[in-house]
C-alpha cells in the first residue's frame, strides 16, 4: 500500500511508501490528512517511558512547504502502461480488449509523417490493427477510431500509474477526474 501525497492546496504530488510517509509525520511535515488511519508503523522502545513508538498513517496526506513546479505541469508524462490503462486495454480500431503484451502504442498521424509522441496523437491498438494501418493516415488505411484520445488530468494520471489504490484514495482522485474520462466507464 502506498500513501497519496498532496501539496497543501490538495493537488496530488506522488505515491510514497509508508516508510517515506512516516518520515514526513515524524518531521511534522504533514499539514492535514484524509481518511481513517490505514496502517500503523512501529518503532523502537523509548528509554524513559518504556513505550514503543508508533505512527498511524492515513491513506492521503498533505505536506507543508513549497509546491514543486512539476506539480503544475499541464500534461503528464506518456507511457505505454498509462496509455493502455487510459484506453481500458481496448484497441481503438477493432474495440477488442487485450492483455498489455498484445497491445501497442499507435500514432494516429505516424511520426514519420510529422505526428507527435503526445497523448493527443497516441491511442492503444492491438498488434494486428497496428500492422494493418502501418505508416498510413486513417483515411489512407480505410480505418476509423472507435474512441478519441485525450490528455489525462493530474488526478487521473495518479490513477493511471497503476497503484493498488485504497477506497479513500480512489474517491478523492475520481472526484477531480472529468466525466468524459474512460476511468468513469
Amino acid at each position: 500500500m502506498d500513501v497519496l501525497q498532496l501539496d497543501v492546496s490538495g493537488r496530488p504530488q506522488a505515491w510514497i511508501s509508508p516508510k517515506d510517509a512516516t518520515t514526513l509525520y515524524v518531521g511534522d511535515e504533514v499539514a492535514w490528512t484524509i481518511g481513517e488511519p490505514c496502517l500503523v508503523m512501529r518503532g523502537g522502545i523509548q528509554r524513559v517511558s518504556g513505550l514503543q513508538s508508533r505512527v498511524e498513517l492515513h491513506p492521503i496526506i498533505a505536506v507543508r512547504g513549497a509546491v514543486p513546479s512539476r506539480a503544475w505541469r499541464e500534461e503528464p508524462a506518456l507511457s505505454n502502461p498509462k496509455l493502455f490503462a487510459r484506453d481500458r486495454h481496448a484497441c481503438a480500431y477493432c474495440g477488442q480488449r487485450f492483455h498489455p503484451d498484445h497491445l501497442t502504442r499507435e500514432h494516429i498521424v505516424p511520426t514519420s509523417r510529422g505526428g507527435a509522441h503526445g497523448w493527443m496523437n497516441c491511442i492503444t491498438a492491438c498488434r494486428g490493427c497496428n500492422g494493418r494501418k502501418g505508416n498510413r493516415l486513417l483515411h489512407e488505411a480505410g480505418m476509423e477510431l472507435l474512441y478519441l484520445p485525450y490528455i489525462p488530468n493530474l488526478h487521473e494520471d495518479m490513477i493511471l500509474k497503476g497503484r493498488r489504490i485504497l477506497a479513500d484514495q480512489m474517491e478523492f482522485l475520481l472526484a477531480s477526474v472529468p466525466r468524459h474520462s474512460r476511468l468513469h466507464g
Side-chain angles (χ1 to χ4, degrees):
M1 176 218 101
D2 285 337
V3 174
L4 178 59
Q5 178 184 324
L6 312 176
D7 64 24
V8 289
S9 71
R11 289 179 58 93
Q13 289 186 311
W15 291 104
I16 60 173
S17 71
K19 181 180 176 184
D20 291 339
T22 302
T23 302
L24 293 170
Y25 274 92
V26 171
D28 197 31
E29 296 180 52
V30 176
W32 47 272
T33 64
I34 297 176
E36 295 299 315
C38 58
L39 184 64
V40 175
M41 300 294 280
R42 300 182 192 284
I45 305 295
Q46 296 176 5
R47 180 179 292 171
V48 176
S49 69
L51 299 174
Q52 184 178 30
S53 61
R54 59 183 261 140
V55 176
E56 292 185 341
L57 302 182
H58 293 78
I60 304 170
I61 62 172
V63 178
R64 292 184 176 88
V67 178
S69 60
R70 67 177 166 74
W72 298 106
R73 68 174 178 239
E74 293 181 23
E75 189 169 316
L78 175 64
S79 70
N80 283 354
K82 290 194 301 185
L83 176 69
F84 300 162
R86 179 199 72 178
D87 296 344
R88 302 181 67 92
H89 297 90
C91 175
Y93 299 119
C94 69
Q96 293 183 37
R97 292 182 188 264
F98 292 90
H99 185 274
D101 292 343
H102 302 286
L103 294 173
T104 62
R105 179 188 305 189
E106 160 65 8
H107 293 82
I108 299 167
V109 176
T111 55
S112 64
R113 297 178 89 173
H117 286 290
W119 286 101
M120 292 304 289
N121 189 47
C122 291
I123 48 89
T124 299
C126 68
R127 294 187 185 284
C129 288
N130 195 344
R132 272 191 295 286
K133 179 176 172 281
N135 193 28
R136 299 177 289 176
L137 299 175
L138 291 173
H139 70 277
E140 294 171 348
M143 299 173 84
E144 293 183 8
L145 293 174
L146 297 177
Y147 56 79
L148 297 175
Y150 66 93
I151 300 170
N153 73 8
L154 181 61
H155 292 78
E156 187 172 10
D157 183 52
M158 297 303 286
I159 295 169
L160 294 174
K161 288 182 178 175
R163 306 290 180 168
R164 292 181 314 168
I165 300 174
L166 300 176
D168 288 339
Q169 296 165 334
M170 184 62 85
E171 181 181 344
F172 175 83
L173 292 169
L174 278 176
S176 296
V177 170
R179 289 286 160 214
H180 72 267
S181 168
R182 284 187 275 282
L183 292 183
H184 285 294

